[in-house]
Amino acid sequence: MAKRKVDTENRGFQTRWESEYMFTKVAGKPVCLLCGESVAVLKEYNLRRHYETKHADKNKNMDMEQRLQKAEELKRGLKSRQALFKKAKSQGQAAVKASFILAEEIAKSARPFTEGDFIKNCMIKVCDEVCPEKRQLFLNVSLSRNTIAERVDQLSINLKEQLVKKGKDFIAYSLAVDESTDISDIAQLSIFIRGVDSNLSVTEEFLALRPMHGTTTGHDLYEEVSRCVNEMGLPWEKLVGLTTDGAPAMCGHRSGLVAKIREKMQEENATGELTAYHCIIHQEALCGKALKMEHVMSIITRTVNFIRAKGLNHRQFKAFLTELETEHGDLPYHTEVRWLSQGKVLQRCFELREEICLFLDSKGKDTTQLRDEMFLCEMAFLCDITSHLNAINLQLQGRDRVISDMYSTVKAFKTKLTLWETQMRKENLSHFPSCQTMKEKLSTSAFPSTQLADKIGMLAADFRRRFADFEAQKSRLELLGNPFAVDVESSPPNLQMELIDLQCNDALRAKYAAVGAAEFARFLPGTMPQLRIQAAQTLSMFGSTYLCEQLFSLMNLNKTSHRSRLTAEHLHSILRISSAQSLTPNIDELVEKMGHHQVSPSTSNK
């Protein structure tokens, strides 16, 4: 015989039971108003038995009206207790949520964990002036150093769990890997992931920062990257691209990181081929060295250092510029690791060249080189070409950059170099304003246009050489950039039929014109699976290690000489929070998990 299920018998609570048996209904269950016990099954016999067994003697002398009054009084008392409990619960949850929110802001602003105490003191002082009756609510918000440290770890774990969950839907993903050294001389390996799911939505997030306490060989790097991929539960066959800074430990043919990962993919029987790229931005910066104009930059650097290195010289120079009422009031420093600073220094020195010479003359310094016309022509050229290089560098920077767009930017710059070389040989200086200024001021010698045109040719040749690996992927990149212009016959056979269908579809052509190349891939219909897979693989590729470089800047902001004892775990948590873009910590979920209890504080060095 089947067991009865009382939940399906539609038993309802009857109002008369409140006065007869002193019961009320709370959250679907009958609860005794006298002792607070609940009865498992909503049945009159059970309520009557409970009342007669435990409370019959207490209310036997009451008439029905008195029993009704007492039942109402007990119900009001129960509701007030429930309200008090709910209020205490909501206030406790609000205090915990506030501590999570502030911990997230502290992490994002690169503040030490001890800032929580300072913030709380400020909050209490403001509360005392604005709403003193709410003082206890602010006191309930725990912002001690240990609490903030624990909250930051919990937020980081929540973000990682979200990333792992998203990673399960990736149909293609790529990695960007770079290595740098922190303030404690510990090598830090930065790893970012860019994954694409079946809807062709892109997720670009921080994967890990791994400290390297020993050597940093290709094998060491591979071990750390492999551990990260396995922890994420990502299949190796879906790994499409790997972008690095081009160091030998990364790109060595036999023992570099790229070679090790290719070996791993072969062991895993991955059918796809790993595409390895050297960071586009890094290569573009290296191309500038092909000009071989270090002799010009060294003179400029010495001059700037003479003015800026000594406080007296610097003060006098600024006063001198103020007296002359120049447009600029100072000279910037040039730092080798800050690639864009060279262009700014050159531009400022060229604009202040006469004032600099006058100031150096007053200091008894030789200015023969700085006044030499050939040197000034080379300086003007270097100023203009560096300005163009800086412009493309800025175009290549940023998050969520599609590699096909970055390739188009480089391709356009190579075409510009060809134009500039031709124009320079004809002394057409339309795109070189500083050179135009110098040409107009030359007194004796002619402008060295042929020599400078050769420099542009050298630069163009170096661009072609360094970006040969991107040129080899030209057809693949153009397939995402403009699939309607791709030659079907020269395309892979598995894409040809779908390409014909695509190029003959006027509705999709109109959609492409409306949304652009990067977004158009998401509108490819399910009837074109090969094109969707190809688009997913290209969308997943990193064109540069920009995100890694940006992370190292965040690392240096957090791990300073004043916070050199910051543990690797806490540094990792801080950077995950501060670098998150498409992911947001689910604070409500964390508060719900914690319930009413405070998490025990951790002991960590800050």
Side-chain angles (χ1 to χ4, degrees), residues 21-89:
Y21 310 122
M22 294 295 167
F23 268 83
T24 188
K25 191 176 179 181
V26 177
K29 287 188 175 184
V31 176
C32 180
L33 291 168
L34 296 170
C35 65
E37 290 186 14
S38 62
V39 176
V41 179
L42 184 58
K43 192 174 179 181
E44 184 176 6
Y45 169 77
N46 294 337
L47 274 60
R48 183 171 63 245
R49 186 179 63 178
H50 174 90
Y51 176 75
E52 291 176 351
T53 304
K54 298 186 177 183
H55 309 299
D57 294 339
K58 297 179 182 178
N59 304 315
K60 62 183 179 180
N61 297 324
M62 291 184 181
D63 58 24
M64 187 54 66
E65 186 177 348
Q66 289 175 325
R67 295 167 73 89
L68 281 169
Q69 288 178 353
K70 184 167 185 180
E72 288 298 323
E73 185 180 321
L74 291 170
K75 281 171 64 179
R76 285 195 296 270
L78 177 62
K79 286 180 179 179
S80 64
R81 290 194 300 274
Q82 288 176 331
L84 184 65
F85 176 75
K86 287 180 180 178
K87 183 179 180 182
K89 179 182 178 182

Side-chain angles (χ1 to χ4, degrees), residues 6 41 60 115 173 180 195 366 429 437 456 471 580:
V6 296
V41 179
K60 62 183 179 180
E115 286 288 291
Y173 69 94
S180 186
D366 183 18
L429 306 176
T437 301
I456 298 175
E471 200 65 32

